[in-house]
């Protein structure tokens, strides 16, 4: 469960406050010499030894359907073409890592954010006014874990490779029935099928 610091909780619960919660965005692209530091604010913000440049930013609401990996759109002002030229020069920031921080204006001397979310840019589009980054989960979620599936009648080896060990003519259909060296079959025929 997300827990804010005591000061941030007090500020959040006030009816009016002069200390808003700020959204800070760090874009790390391998092709850039240093990350981009942007702040959704009307003036620059100094936090965690970096100056976060004030910029028009919009985080669009997103919905989860439970069937696909969640993604959200981050819209950044095109800035009269300034950032658009970066996109053209640096491949649309493809696969760049984006860290989104939520900090309270009264706690800028604290190096720990109230909330931190990590994303990766999966798609980029832009027009004259806005650049839209589609932010998705880090690529670890796309990898299967565990790496191997255990199947009763399927051999993951390629016929004739080192793990298969077959050196003759012909090929198999990657099942136990057609295996040319049954003692080297890579499947798991001992698994009982549940039913």
């Amino acid at each position: 469960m997300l827990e804010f610091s005591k000061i941030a909780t007090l500020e959040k619960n006030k009816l009016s406050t002069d200390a808003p919660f700020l959204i800070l965005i760090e874009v790390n692209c391998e092709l850039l010499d240093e990350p981009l530091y942007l702040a959704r604010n009307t003036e620059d913000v100094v936090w965690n030894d970096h100056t976060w440049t004030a910029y028009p930013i919009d985080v669009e609401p997103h919905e989860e359907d439970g069937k696909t990996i969640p993604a959200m759109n981050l819209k950044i002002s095109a800035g009269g073409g300034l950032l658009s030229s970066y996109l053209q020069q640096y491949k649309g920031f493809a696969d760049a890592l984006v860290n989104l921080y939520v900090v309270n204006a009264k706690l800028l001397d604290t190096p720990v954010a109230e909330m931190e979310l990590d994303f990766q840019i999966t798609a980029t589009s832009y027009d004259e006014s806005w650049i839209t980054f589609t932010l998705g989960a880090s690529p670890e979620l796309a990898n299967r874990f565990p790496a191997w599936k255990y199947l009763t009648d399927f051999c993951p080896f390629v016929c004739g490779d080192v793990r298969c060990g077959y050196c003759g003519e012909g090929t198999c259909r990657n099942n136990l029935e057609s295996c040319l060296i049954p003692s080297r079959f890579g499947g798991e025929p001992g698994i009982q099928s549940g039913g």
Side-chain angles (χ1 to χ4, degrees):
M1 182 173 142
L2 177 66
E3 290 188 26
F4 285 154
S5 65
K6 290 180 182 179
I7 295 173
T9 302
L10 289 172
E11 289 299 320
K12 175 183 70 71
N13 293 336
K14 286 183 180 178
L15 293 177
S16 67
T17 181
D18 60 346
F21 284 89
L22 305 172
I23 296 177
L24 307 178
I25 296 170
E26 178 183 0
V27 180
N28 292 295
C29 182
E30 294 178 355
L31 302 173
L32 294 174
D33 293 335
E34 62 182 42
L36 294 176
Y37 298 103
L38 304 174
R40 182 182 176 192
N41 199 20
T42 54
E43 56 188 31
D44 291 354
V45 175
V46 177
W47 179 72
N48 220 3
D49 298 327
H50 299 291
T51 300
W52 304 74
T53 306
Y55 225 78
I57 296 171
D58 185 28
V59 180
E60 293 184 346
H62 71 286
E63 296 179 7
E64 296 180 23
D65 61 2
K67 298 176 185 174
T68 58
I69 295 177
M72 63 185 262
N73 288 335
L74 172 70
K75 292 176 73 172
I76 299 177
S77 173
L82 175 67
L83 285 180
S84 302
S85 64
Y86 273 148
L87 292 178
Q88 294 168 358
Q89 186 177 0
Y90 299 114
K91 302 178 183 177
F93 293 146
D95 297 331
L97 301 177
V98 175
N99 298 326
L100 190 141
Y101 303 99
V102 177
V103 297
N104 188 273
K106 276 194 174 174
L107 301 171
L108 293 177
D109 56 341
T110 305
V112 178
E114 297 299 327
M115 183 186 317
E116 178 180 347
L117 301 170
D118 300 328
F119 298 100
Q120 184 174 24
I121 295 176
T122 58
T124 305
S125 62
Y126 63 95
D127 57 24
E128 293 177 2
S129 303
W130 293 96
I131 299 167
T132 304
F133 295 114
T134 302
L135 303 179
S138 61
E140 296 89 43
L141 292 179
N143 296 334
R144 185 182 348 178
F145 183 81
W148 296 101
K149 281 186 178 179
Y150 296 103
L151 302 172
T152 58
D153 195 34
F154 175 78
C155 180
F157 304 152
V158 176
C159 187
D161 74 356
V162 173
R163 293 185 297 170
C164 172
Y166 182 69
C167 297
E169 296 292 321
T171 58
C172 71
R173 294 187 312 274
N174 292 82
N175 59 24
L176 184 57
E177 185 178 312
S178 67
C179 184
L180 300 169
I181 305 177
S183 62
R184 304 249 345 219
F185 179 68
E188 302 294 332
I191 295 178
Q192 300 292 321
S193 61

